Amino acid sequence: MPAQAKDLFNDAIDNELLNEASQLRELLSLALSPSKLELLMRDNCVLCHTDPEAQDPETLFWTDPEAVGSPPHLNLREVVRDVHFRRGLSCSGCHGGTPTDEDMADEIYDRWPEAPERHADRTWIPDFCARCHSDPAFMRRFDPSLATDQYAKYRESLHGKLLLEQADSKAAQCVSCHGVHGIRDSKSPRSPVHPRNVPYTCGACHADADYMKGYKDAAGDPLPTNQLEEFETSVHGRALLERGDTGAPACNDCHGNHAAMPPEIASIGQVCRTCHSGNGELFEGSKHKKAFERNGWPECEKCHGNHAIARTDDSMLNEKSNPLCYECHRENAEDNPDCIRTAEYFYASISTLATEQKSLAEQVHQLAEKGLDVEPLAATVDDMEDTLRQSRSLIHAFDRSEFEKIEKRGHEAARQGWEQVEAAEGEYRFRLTGLRVAIGFMILLSVALYLKIREMEART
Amino acid sequence: MSTARADKRLYRWIDERYGVSPLIEFLRHKEVPLGAHPLFWYFLGGTTLFFFAVQIVSGVLLLVYYQPGENTSYESIRYITTKVPFGWLVRSVHCWSAHLMIVSLVVHMLSTMMLKAYRPPRELTWLTGFLLFNLALGFGFSGYLLPWNELAFFATAVGTDSVKSVPVVGNWLLQVMRGGPDVTINTVYRFFALHICILPILTVGLITVHLIFIQRQGMAPPIAKHVAPRGMRFFPNFALRDLLWWILCLAALLVLALLLPYGPGIPGVEWELGQKADPLAPAYPGIKPEWYFLWIYQLLKEFPPHLFGLEGPQVCLAVVSLLMTTWALVPWLDRKARRDEPSPAFTDFGVGAMLFITFLMLKAWDIGAGAVADGGFPDPAAVARPCAWILLAVAVAVTAVRIAVYRDRWFVFSGAAVLHAVLHGLVGLPYLAAGAIAAAAAALATGFTVARGRTSAMPAGGGH
């Protein structure tokens, strides 16, 4: 143990703040760096509240709270990993008093409501956190890059309105999402607000039917509680939760975080455009845009859904597997049969290109196994893949003109690909013919040699 | 009539200047022994030589376009196989011929072992053959890296790493081989020089010595106890047969090169170019060396990190060195064969060594492992079990042939190899523990056999 750390422990023993062997073991088991250990050992709050003789279980910090009957938030191991503690703020930073106080300061009682009262009424929490987090000058000392508008946004959010205006303490506030005593940086994978954990943090309330009972949406319907379940099966959910791709959106990427609210119909398309800007632009200039506005339909959501967005595939354009376009058009665009024909055309074109691309990709594999040069063909297949990607995007313009250009490029690439296949197969036929001729010649030579040997040995 | 006269005049002209008559006379009287063994066994040396000649010709053709270098090694091989007319054929022939040369060399060496052709006065012929075998392995190892592709890079990194285990000079040797602490393009330059210059010079020199020995001493006749040999004239009778066989080998080589241009698809016998080597990329699982190094690769995996106070790979290297040295010294160790008597123990030593190596190769191929998750490793017990069963089946078949055809009655070493596989694969003992038990059993059985042989050889009345 470094000499400085020894001195700290000796001081604590001399000051009768470190009295128990179990208390010493708890503190040492944290295996802190010298600077963190100093911060901890110079904090009388910690020393006193880790003394099992001096504290009741309700106020005793322990590395395994369950073992001593303490509440989970008094986990000492979590406290020392708290983002505030790591930046030098310990108990008194929030609770009041100073780290050198030998007794509970009056300020602590003044600042904190009694336990039953503060647990029943959570309206005080946002304001309490905002004392520091809304103060740019103060926050600059710790993390200049951290925003200080969370409280302002929160007040405008649905959560904020419920809590602050209607005093509904069930509404989410800072602690509901960030936790307490073990608050981590949002970049930490263990933080409840890390992108991969956000769906479960939100789901803790929003997927609980009992908890959400009584809450209604703008139309007055009960709020659904299947969002998490749907999200887990969606293309976004699988990317985020199964593959760990933090580029995929979590709840807050569409709904906001401190300003959380459901995107209204008018803003849904904008939310999707944050990532899918190309398709958004195409939709913007399409005939659908006006029709959707006229009918008050949400743009992307109308076809793709929201929380349960499935991976798109070409069958979405096929009437048999997905009657979406057709039903909608029969109902709302009876006088425009060309719409149906356009959808059919898109489906037929993309299917043809996809089939061609798949067949050519198989050819690359088969010809490579024969030892043929497949580099040009592989480049053509890549070109077709690119064409397909573009054509699938271009259907969002719901117009043939641009699509036809790409389709033409795709067919041209396919034609070139099949020519390359034919050339490669011709080369292979040439090789086989050469082999047959060479083998035939060798067999003839072998037979001649064999006859010569027989004739020679028969003579002798 | 006039052509024959012109031929004679030409021959006389050459003979007057270079004295070729004794050589012609020698060839006229050179014979291949007949009678005790099938003639096939005498073709194998020539077959190996034929494949070596193919290697030289195809290698020179590859050299026309191959350029060693960071940005050229991989690219030039790619260019050869895709753009150069018949370049694909030359590379494929070079690769197939390399493997077939090793196969033919191994079979040639085994036939020499089984027929005891190494016995005096041909000890040095065996020794030069053994050295040629090592040079062939050197060709394989050095040539593997030259395409500078992913597989070659990682296999060479693993292969050269084992050199570290050599006591005292291991690290120095590793640096010399790699041209630095890691496998880099400097390693390619070294291996290239080795592959196209140093090894060919050594090999041609040793082949010359090997052939001179054979020409001076003639081909080994069967052991005295067998049928007295008749002879077949080497020239032209045997030489024409050799030529016929080489033509068939060339035909087989062309068929394989065209129909399976990247090898038969067995790990260790494949040469698809794949991706260019990237020293910064992580090694992927399932990298295996070429098939003739697989047994050493697997043996290294069987050793724990530390054994008897030494590093596991060091002990493994000692075992491999002991086995190879014993193999090289067989002509001096086989005292019965030196007396021109049958030596069944050494026949069985050869079979036992092959079974030992076969079991390791089967394990290295992960036979019976089934589907393994990406990045995962197969369950060792699930691999060892089917390998042991296969080895058991092979051993039963080989033993049946040995008993029925060759009347062999000595099975101590092959029995130990089978016991080793059974104890490890079927009973579930660790590989080394099973090996130790099998080795102890073989030592006991050998001691017992030797003691019994001495007792039965002792004169009945106590003797003088």
Side-chain angles (χ1 to χ4, degrees):
Chain A
M1 188 187 290
Q4 195 187 359
K6 265 186 192 165
D7 291 344
L8 288 168
F9 279 100
N10 286 332
D11 287 351
I13 291 166
D14 292 344
N15 295 335
E16 294 182 354
L17 291 165
L18 187 54
N19 303 315
E20 293 288 321
S22 60
Q23 186 187 8
L24 179 64
R25 195 175 56 239
E26 283 291 292
L27 295 171
L28 288 174
S29 74
L30 297 170
L32 295 175
S33 64
S35 61
K36 295 284 179 296
L37 185 66
E38 185 174 356
L39 183 67
L40 196 76
M41 294 301 294
R42 290 203 187 286
D43 195 323
N44 289 352
C45 310
V46 173
L47 292 174
C48 195
H49 279 270
T50 50
D51 182 353
E53 289 301 309
Q55 300 295 327
D56 292 330
E58 296 86 61
T59 53
L60 177 65
F61 276 91
W62 212 245
T63 52
D64 181 8
E66 205 180 324
V68 290
S70 294
H73 73 274
L74 298 188
N75 188 329
L76 189 60
R77 215 175 281 286
E78 287 295 312
V79 169
V80 294
R81 283 173 176 77
D82 188 291
V83 69
H84 301 100
F85 180 79
R86 290 161 75 98
R87 290 179 194 271
L89 280 169
S90 61
C91 313
S92 57
C94 295
H95 289 269
T98 68
T100 52
D101 289 348
E102 291 187 356
D103 284 309
M104 295 282 279
D106 292 340
E107 185 196 0
I108 298 173
Y109 296 104
D110 295 343
R111 188 185 285 187
W112 286 78
E114 283 298 318
E117 190 186 328
R118 70 172 187 261
H119 290 157
D121 175 13
R122 313 298 269 171
T123 53
W124 57 277
I125 293 176
D127 191 46
F128 184 85
C129 298
R131 288 182 312 123
C132 301
H133 281 274
S134 292
D135 182 347
F138 182 78
M139 290 306 294
R140 198 182 302 132
R141 289 162 48 196
F142 302 96
D143 184 356
S145 67
L146 197 68
T148 49
D149 59 349
Q150 299 97 327
Y151 189 39
K153 283 180 170 175
Y154 178 77
R155 276 198 301 258
E156 297 305 316
S157 75
L158 278 186
H159 292 142
K161 285 182 176 165
L162 280 171
L163 182 77
L164 303 175
E165 292 173 15
Q166 298 175 31
D168 179 357
S169 286
K170 278 172 73 184
Q173 26 68 25
C174 318
V175 171
S176 319
C177 301
H178 293 277
V180 64
H181 286 173
I183 297 172
R184 313 255 175 164
D185 190 296
S186 63
K187 293 183 194 75
S188 161
R190 298 190 63 180
S191 164
V193 292
H194 181 272
R196 289 211 300 270
N197 300 328
V198 162
Y200 303 110
T201 302
C202 299
C205 300
H206 283 273
D208 184 339
D210 287 338
Y211 194 86
M212 296 303 291
K213 199 184 267 178
Y215 291 104
K216 294 191 166 46
D217 62 15
D221 298 324
L223 268 185
T225 51
N226 61 349
Q227 299 96 327
L228 177 61
E229 195 186 331
E230 287 190 346
F231 179 76
E232 282 174 325
T233 61
S234 74
V235 65
H236 294 140
R238 294 174 79 119
L240 181 71
L241 305 174
E242 289 177 17
R243 297 207 306 275
D245 178 359
T246 50
C251 316
N252 59 319
D253 289 296
C254 300
H255 294 275
N257 35 37
H258 297 107
M261 58 179 70
E264 297 293 329
I265 285 170
S267 66
I268 282 182
Q270 298 308 322
V271 167
C272 301
R273 278 174 180 77
T274 320
C275 301
H276 303 277
S277 58
N279 292 349
E281 260 178 52
L282 289 167
F283 186 87
E284 205 69 43
S286 75
K287 298 170 192 166
H288 270 165
K289 173 77 177 170
K290 283 179 192 158
F292 273 51
E293 273 177 358
R294 199 166 49 243
N295 290 290
W297 293 330
E299 296 181 350
C300 316
E301 190 194 339
K302 181 77 178 163
C303 302
H304 294 281
N306 45 29
H307 298 110
I309 293 174
R311 188 181 182 82
T312 54
D313 62 51
D314 300 334
S315 68
M316 280 185 79
L317 295 166
N318 183 12
E319 183 169 15
K320 284 183 189 147
S321 53
N322 191 340
L324 181 80
C325 307
Y326 304 88
E327 276 178 5
C328 196
H329 274 265
R330 279 191 198 103
E331 206 176 304
N332 299 292
E334 273 178 76
D335 53 343
N336 193 358
D338 192 43
C339 295
I340 296 289
R341 280 201 291 275
T342 304
E344 284 169 349
Y345 160 72
F346 283 155
Y347 178 65
S349 301
I350 291 177
S351 300
T352 308
L353 284 178
T355 310
E356 291 273 49
Q357 197 259 356
K358 198 176 163 205
S359 307
L360 283 170
E362 279 166 12
Q363 288 292 330
V364 170
H365 185 63
Q366 286 171 13
L367 294 172
E369 277 191 346
K370 290 179 179 173
L372 294 157
D373 176 14
V374 290
E375 271 179 28
L377 182 60
T380 305
V381 170
D382 284 348
D383 199 22
M384 284 198 73
E385 179 70 46
D386 188 43
T387 308
L388 262 172
R389 201 175 294 121
Q390 286 187 46
S391 63
R392 284 171 180 144
S393 181
L394 277 170
I395 62 162
H396 293 97
F398 307 99
D399 185 76
R400 289 184 184 219
S401 57
E402 283 301 310
F403 185 91
E404 276 170 348
K405 284 183 202 161
I406 288 295
E407 187 203 9
K408 199 175 161 196
R409 220 182 81 194
H411 285 308
E412 180 57 31
R415 189 192 55 74
Q416 191 188 341
W418 287 114
E419 277 175 14
Q420 286 160 336
V421 170
E422 183 51 41
E425 280 175 346
E427 165 70 15
Y428 194 64
R429 283 194 295 275
F430 169 73
R431 289 180 184 185
L432 283 178
T433 308
L435 181 71
R436 284 188 201 109
V437 170
I439 297 292
F441 176 72
M442 286 181 206
I443 288 171
L444 273 179
L445 199 61
S446 305
V447 171
L449 262 176
Y450 174 71
L451 292 174
K452 173 71 185 167
I453 293 167
R454 268 190 60 180
E455 183 260 341
M456 199 175 64
E457 289 180 352
R459 230 179 328 124
T460 54
Chain B
M1 198 66 177
S2 61
T3 320
R5 207 178 297 137
D7 284 354
K8 273 189 178 172
R9 279 222 306 273
L10 178 67
Y11 175 75
R12 205 180 308 129
W13 189 87
I14 294 172
D15 192 32
E16 279 167 9
R17 279 152 187 83
Y18 302 106
V20 292
S21 287
L23 184 65
I24 300 293
E25 203 55 29
F26 170 76
L27 284 176
R28 199 169 283 163
H29 289 99
K30 184 176 160 56
E31 285 192 341
V32 177
L34 281 179
H37 309 299
L39 195 59
F40 172 76
W41 300 116
Y42 293 107
F43 284 110
L44 293 165
T47 311
T48 311
L49 190 62
F50 166 75
F51 284 123
F52 181 66
V54 172
Q55 287 305 91
I56 298 280
V57 174
S58 56
V60 167
L61 288 174
L62 287 174
L63 257 184
V64 174
Y65 287 97
Y66 177 73
Q67 296 172 41
E70 184 81 63
N71 297 316
T72 51
S73 287
Y74 176 84
E75 287 75 7
S76 58
I77 294 285
R78 196 167 190 88
Y79 184 74
I80 287 169
T81 50
T82 56
K83 305 293 178 217
V84 175
F86 296 102
W88 57 273
L89 181 65
V90 176
R91 178 170 185 247
S92 187
V93 161
H94 194 73
C95 295
W96 265 113
S97 175
H99 287 278
L100 292 175
M101 182 179 85
I102 305 244
V103 169
S104 148
L105 207 163
V106 168
V107 180
H108 176 48
M109 195 162 64
L110 282 177
S111 72
T112 311
M113 176 86 183
M114 298 301 154
L115 305 181
K116 310 291 179 293
Y118 51 71
R119 66 192 191 281
R122 296 178 177 77
E123 300 98 321
L124 292 182
T125 318
W126 168 267
L127 198 62
T128 47
F130 176 78
L131 292 175
L132 281 167
F133 170 67
N134 284 283
L135 287 178
L137 297 187
F139 266 118
F141 191 63
S142 56
Y144 200 55
L145 180 67
L146 300 187
W148 195 234
N149 57 358
E150 231 175 19
L151 185 64
F153 173 80
F154 289 118
T156 307
V158 174
T160 48
D161 196 59
S162 57
V163 174
K164 270 197 312 198
S165 313
V166 177
V168 188
V169 292
N171 277 319
W172 174 80
L173 207 57
L174 179 80
Q175 297 252 350
V176 170
M177 278 185 86
R178 290 182 172 177
D182 300 308
V183 174
T184 61
I185 201 66
N186 287 337
T187 323
V188 174
Y189 294 136
R190 266 149 212 257
F191 278 34
F192 180 61
L194 199 66
H195 192 76
I196 67 140
C197 186
I198 299 166
L199 288 177
I201 289 172
L202 289 176
T203 306
V204 169
L206 260 180
I207 288 176
T208 310
V209 174
H210 193 71
L211 288 177
I212 287 173
F213 286 165
I214 293 166
Q215 299 316 315
R216 290 294 296 171
Q217 298 172 330
M219 287 188 194
I223 278 192
K225 211 175 172 183
H226 290 147
V227 184
R230 290 175 284 119
M232 174 191 273
R233 287 174 67 195
F234 181 82
F235 194 83
N237 301 49
F238 191 81
L240 283 178
R241 282 180 168 81
D242 245 346
L243 184 61
L244 175 59
W245 173 241
W246 289 355
I247 292 170
L248 294 177
C249 285
L250 183 63
L253 192 57
L254 288 179
V255 170
L256 289 170
L258 198 137
L259 298 182
L260 297 168
Y262 302 121
I266 303 166
V269 203
E270 53 191 348
W271 45 87
E272 191 163 6
L273 200 52
Q275 298 296 313
K276 186 177 174 172
D278 178 4
L280 298 176
Y284 54 88
I287 292 170
K288 291 188 171 60
E290 300 218 274
W291 64 272
Y292 36 85
F293 290 121
L294 276 176
W295 68 281
I296 301 177
Y297 157 85
Q298 184 62 33
L299 197 60
L300 274 165
K301 280 171 62 175
E302 301 291 357
F303 276 77
H306 295 284
L307 196 70
F308 310 130
L310 289 167
E311 285 182 25
Q314 276 183 331
V315 184
C316 177
L317 199 72
V319 171
V320 172
S321 305
L322 184 70
L323 195 64
M324 296 290 268
T325 312
T326 310
W327 195 262
L329 296 179
V330 156
W332 290 274
L333 296 173
D334 188 357
R335 282 180 296 175
K336 278 197 167 183
R338 289 179 79 82
R339 295 195 298 266
D340 218 16
E341 292 170 16
S343 58
F346 278 82
T347 304
D348 196 52
F349 174 65
V351 176
M354 284 309 110
L355 289 175
F356 170 76
I357 286 173
T358 306
F359 185 55
L360 283 168
M361 283 178 73
L362 290 170
K363 282 194 74 185
W365 272 318
D366 296 331
I367 286 175
V372 177
D374 253 5
F377 293 95
D379 171 21
V383 171
R385 204 171 307 115
C387 292
W389 280 116
I390 294 172
L391 189 89
L392 204 56
V394 170
V396 167
V398 169
T399 310
V401 171
R402 286 175 64 194
I403 292 171
V405 180
Y406 297 102
R407 311 272 174 227
D408 280 354
R409 295 290 180 272
W410 216 94
F411 303 107
V412 171
F413 293 123
S414 52
V418 172
L419 178 67
H420 184 190
V422 167
L423 287 177
H424 174 55
L426 304 183
V427 179
L429 290 182
Y431 183 85
L432 293 185
I437 294 171
L444 272 176
T446 311
F448 176 70
T449 315
V450 171
R452 203 177 58 173
R454 278 193 187 142
T455 313
S456 61
M458 212 178 276
H464 301 283

